[in-house]
Amino acid sequence: QLQLVEYGGGLVQPRGSLRLSCAASGFALGNYAIGWFRQAPGKEREGISCITSSGRDTTYAESVKGRFTISRDNGKQTVYLRMNSLKPEDTGIYYCARARDAFYCHGNVPFRNDYDLWGQGTQVTVSS
């Protein structure tokens, strides 16, 4: 079955680090760009990063640029999001999603409607 599953969320202190994983099954991950999104309580889901199908190009929202790094290993059917220098405002549910029939990322940040398959989300809480 077509599926994306996120792993790695949890409670971390400010200035701490965390790595999220997004595992794909039922399709060839290497044929799709993958985006990361997050949603804080009471707020809209926002795109924060995207990686092209090959992994050659990446995009980041200004709020995470320089702190987060997206990467992928198509042989392992996995996309990663390394989060450094975490802040309380990074708290939220983090989702990965598959671009709809797309190899590339469009725009500076991923747009929700461009993605057709979503993981269940993993909670990230940044608090002292």
Side-chain angles (χ1 to χ4, degrees):
Q1 294 75 30
L2 303 178
Q3 191 173 39
L4 292 172
V5 180
E6 299 93 340
Y7 300 96
L11 175 64
V12 297
Q13 294 184 334
R15 302 191 296 111
S17 297
L18 204 62
R19 189 179 76 160
L20 306 182
S21 299
C22 171
S25 59
F27 67 98
L29 186 68
N31 290 336
Y32 298 90
I34 298 293
W36 281 98
F37 298 76
R38 68 185 181 187
Q39 188 166 20
K43 294 188 175 182
E44 293 289 316
R45 192 170 301 183
E46 63 169 334
I48 56 172
S49 187
C50 179
I51 187 166
T52 59
S53 61
S54 68
R56 293 193 185 100
D57 295 299
T58 59
T59 67
Y60 300 93
E62 288 297 322
S63 59
V64 306
K65 188 176 295 183
R67 299 188 298 120
F68 290 12
T69 303
I70 191 170
S71 61
R72 67 193 297 158
D73 187 334
N74 289 334
K76 294 182 178 179
Q77 288 273 104
T78 303
V79 173
Y80 305 96
L81 185 69
R82 179 69 180 182
M83 305 183 293
N84 294 327
S85 303
L86 284 162
K87 307 172 181 179
E89 52 262 44
D90 293 318
T91 294
I93 302 174
Y94 283 68
Y95 302 86
C96 63
R98 186 185 76 176
R100 183 179 289 107
D101 296 323
F103 293 102
Y104 306 110
C105 303
H106 300 103
N108 294 324
V109 297
F111 178 54
R112 185 173 181 173
N113 286 357
D114 289 336
Y115 294 79
D116 67 354
L117 182 68
W118 294 78
Q120 83 288 350
T122 186
Q123 176 71 44
V124 173
T125 303
V126 184
S127 177
S128 59

